[in-house]
Each structure stands twice: as structure tokens, then as C-alpha cells.
Amino acid sequence: MSEATDPWLIVGLGNPGPEYAANRHNVGFMVADLLAERIGGKFKRAQKAQAQVVEGRIGPPGPANRRVILAKPMSYMNLSGGPVTALRDFYKVPTDHIVAVHDELDIDYGMLRLKLGGGDNGHNGLKSMTKAMGSEYHRIRFGIGRPPGRMQVADFVLKDFSSTERKELGYLVDRAADSVECLLAEGLERAQSAYNS
């Protein structure tokens, strides 16, 4: 059972490399980058895992202030489970204190859904994490909507957000980062009622 003093591991899912940086599949990295900026940290290579990490604290002073490790796996998306498990073990993070922030096809663009556990819905990053450590971790699902027409899912997620989507993207990434902070400070139910749209 998790203790209030246990650290949290916030994992932004994405693919490493500049060619993927603005892809829909990399919205988890975007949220992780913003959270790192908020706590005044810079990502650096993890010692014990194929990942970049920032350590710090999130939340107001007092009992709701949480020790966090922000992480961006530097494997490709479909191999995220290895780096996340290595970080979990190194930092001694209970599985229910892990939060995966990821893109979600089955939710309209910009909508958020927070949940604990569940299936992977075909998402390769979640599939890899669940295979490595079970499914009882938190997810913050960032809606990217379905591909238009006959476009293949793989092509859609590896394309950059459209110019129309980019107009709102900063605000939406900001809101997703807020939802992470709310989850840590106030718990899942409060965060769901505030941010599930």
C-alpha cells in the first residue's frame, strides 16, 4: 500500500528525436516538458534507465506537496515498459504512484480522461508498460481524435498536430499539466471531476 511520503513517477510517453517532437504521439513529452519547466528543472539522462528525468516537488507547501520524478523514456514508444520499470525500481515508486500521460485516439481532440488501471486500447506505450508491470497505474489520456478519412492510425499519430489544433495546443497541454498536479495533491476523484471532459 502506498504511503503519503512515497514518490510519484510521472511518465510522459513519446518517441525520442527531433523528427517526432511535434507529433500527436508525443503529447506526453510536451506535458512532461511543461511540468519540468514549472518546477524549474531540466531533463537529464537517468543513471539506471534509458530515460531522461527531472526530480523535484509538485504541489503547495504542506502535506499535499509531493516528491516527483518526471520521466521521458528514450526507448521508442512500443518499448516504454523497460525504462519505466527500471525507474520504478530505482526510485522505489509503488505502481499506483505512476502516472502515464499519453495520446488517446478514442477521445476528441483536447479532451482529458483520468483513470487508474484498465486496458491499453491499442496504445503501444501502455501495452509495453502493462506487460512489464501490470495495469494498476494512473493514466492521463489526452484526446487526439480519430484519423480523417482512410488515413492509417500509425500515420496519423506520427504526424504533427494540424495548424488549427496548434492554436489551442498550448492551452490544452497546460490543462493536462494542471490535471497531473491536481491528481497528486487532491486524489483521483477530485481530479476526475475537475478535468474529465
Side-chain angles (χ1 to χ4, degrees):
M1 191 62 193
S2 304
E3 301 291 329
T5 53
D6 284 328
W8 285 78
L9 175 59
I10 314 300
V11 182
L13 292 179
N15 286 308
E19 67 274 33
Y20 298 108
N23 288 179
R24 292 182 177 94
H25 223 17
N26 271 41
V27 75
F29 274 20
M30 297 173 197
V31 175
D33 285 338
L34 178 57
L35 286 166
E37 204 178 292
R38 288 183 181 183
I39 65 173
K42 286 219 183 318
F43 278 99
K44 59 182 191 295
R45 185 185 295 271
Q47 291 177 330
K48 303 288 183 184
Q50 192 183 355
Q52 291 186 348
V53 294
V54 174
E55 294 180 59
R57 301 193 81 83
I58 284 179
N65 190 263
R66 304 280 181 248
R67 180 175 163 233
V68 295
I69 300 97
L70 303 173
K72 297 191 293 186
M74 290 289 115
S75 59
Y76 284 94
M77 178 72 87
N78 59 346
L79 301 172
S80 301
V84 176
T85 305
L87 292 170
R88 177 198 67 179
D89 295 347
F90 179 70
Y91 288 104
K92 299 181 171 50
V93 179
T95 303
D96 67 353
H97 273 209
I98 296 172
V99 182
V101 184
H102 64 92
D103 58 307
E104 177 61 63
L105 287 158
D106 285 337
I107 303 173
D108 289 341
Y109 174 64
M111 300 281 130
L112 294 176
R113 294 276 194 290
L114 284 75
K115 66 179 206 170
L116 174 63
D120 57 56
N121 207 19
H123 192 287
N124 288 331
L126 297 182
K127 201 175 286 183
S128 177
M129 283 179 62
T130 297
K131 187 176 178 193
M133 61 187 192
S135 64
E136 287 306 298
Y137 54 90
H138 288 84
R139 298 98 190 277
I140 293 183
R141 303 156 74 201
F142 186 107
I144 60 168
R146 301 293 306 180
R150 296 186 174 180
M151 186 188 286
Q152 295 294 312
V153 164
D155 294 334
F156 179 68
V157 299
L158 293 176
K159 281 206 177 342
D160 291 358
F161 285 101
S162 70
S163 55
T164 308
E165 288 169 334
R166 283 199 297 273
K167 287 177 185 153
E168 287 186 282
L169 186 59
Y171 164 75
L172 296 169
V173 167
D174 200 58
R175 190 165 179 269
D178 289 347
S179 78
V180 173
E181 294 187 354
C182 182
L183 170 64
L184 269 54
E186 300 184 49
L188 180 61
E189 282 183 25
R190 288 290 294 276
Q192 283 173 326
S193 64
Y195 291 96
N196 277 15
S197 40

